[in-house]
Amino acid sequence: MSGSVTAVSSNGEYSFTKPNRDSIRLLAGLGVEGDVHSGVTVKHRSRVAQNPDQPNLRQVHLIHEELFGEVGEEGFKVAPGELGENITTRGIDLLGLPVGTLLRIGDSAVLEVTGLRNPCLQIDNFQDGLLKQVVGRDEAGNIVHKAGIMSIVREGGVVRPGDTIEAELPAGPHKPLERV
């Protein structure tokens, strides 16, 4: 399974959206250099309030660009970085990957998929009603989270738009993604 990077984003300050960059540098065990969510322990405010010592399984947020088209059909306009992701992708089924998948990006970066992004009410503050578009239910009534996946950095490197992404699935049995 493969795809490509369409945009990269980071922000050194707490803010819902992240500005697009020409490149980002991934640091092994930490996340995106200079990004507010980089670190060994959790940096998301709600998680810090629960337990500031828990490991940071949300170092790098990836979202599939195809989601922007999907929500666009419902009248929402979303561009790369606006949902707070660090890496926007195309052509790879991020939501279908199992926990532990390695994503080899560009020349040297390697991410390990840890789980699904757990979207919060900030999405509705960004655009009213958008949360309902990125968290829904399937035909069986199960909750479906579509706001991307989270990962940790196994091997650092520079990531740029246009870089290829190769997914390496872990040995089975595969564990489906859950919220992290």
Side-chain angles (χ1 to χ4, degrees), residues 115-167:
L116 294 168
R117 176 189 185 184
N118 185 25
C120 64
L121 289 175
Q122 288 186 49
I123 290 179
D124 272 348
N125 293 338
F126 173 67
Q127 286 186 43
D128 190 41
L130 185 57
L131 181 59
K132 194 172 189 176
Q133 299 299 315
V134 299
V135 178
R137 294 199 180 266
D138 63 17
E139 302 80 33
N142 300 310
I143 294 176
V144 177
H145 295 272
K146 299 187 251 180
I149 63 171
M150 306 307 287
S151 64
I152 57 175
V153 182
R154 287 292 177 206
E155 295 179 31
V158 175
V159 177
R160 295 177 178 86
D163 282 350
T164 59
I165 304 170
E166 297 292 331

Side-chain angles (χ1 to χ4, degrees), residues 7-10 16-18 24 26 31-32 35 37-38 44 56-64 67-68 81-89 94-95 103 105 111-112 114-120 123 134 146-153 180:
V8 294
S9 310
S10 67
F16 182 70
T17 62
K18 295 187 179 195
I24 56 173
L26 302 180
V32 178
D35 192 80
H37 294 112
S38 180
H44 287 75
N56 188 1
L57 300 178
R58 301 167 56 103
Q59 293 174 355
V60 181
H61 175 202
L62 297 93
I63 202 164
H64 52 297
L67 177 65
F68 304 156
E82 289 186 335
L83 295 182
E85 76 275 10
N86 300 109
I87 300 175
T88 309
T89 69
L94 296 176
L95 303 178
L103 298 175
I105 305 175
L111 299 176
E112 180 181 335
T114 56
L116 294 168
R117 176 189 185 184
N118 185 25
C120 64
I123 290 179
V134 299
K146 299 187 251 180
I149 63 171
M150 306 307 287
S151 64
I152 57 175
V153 182
V180 293

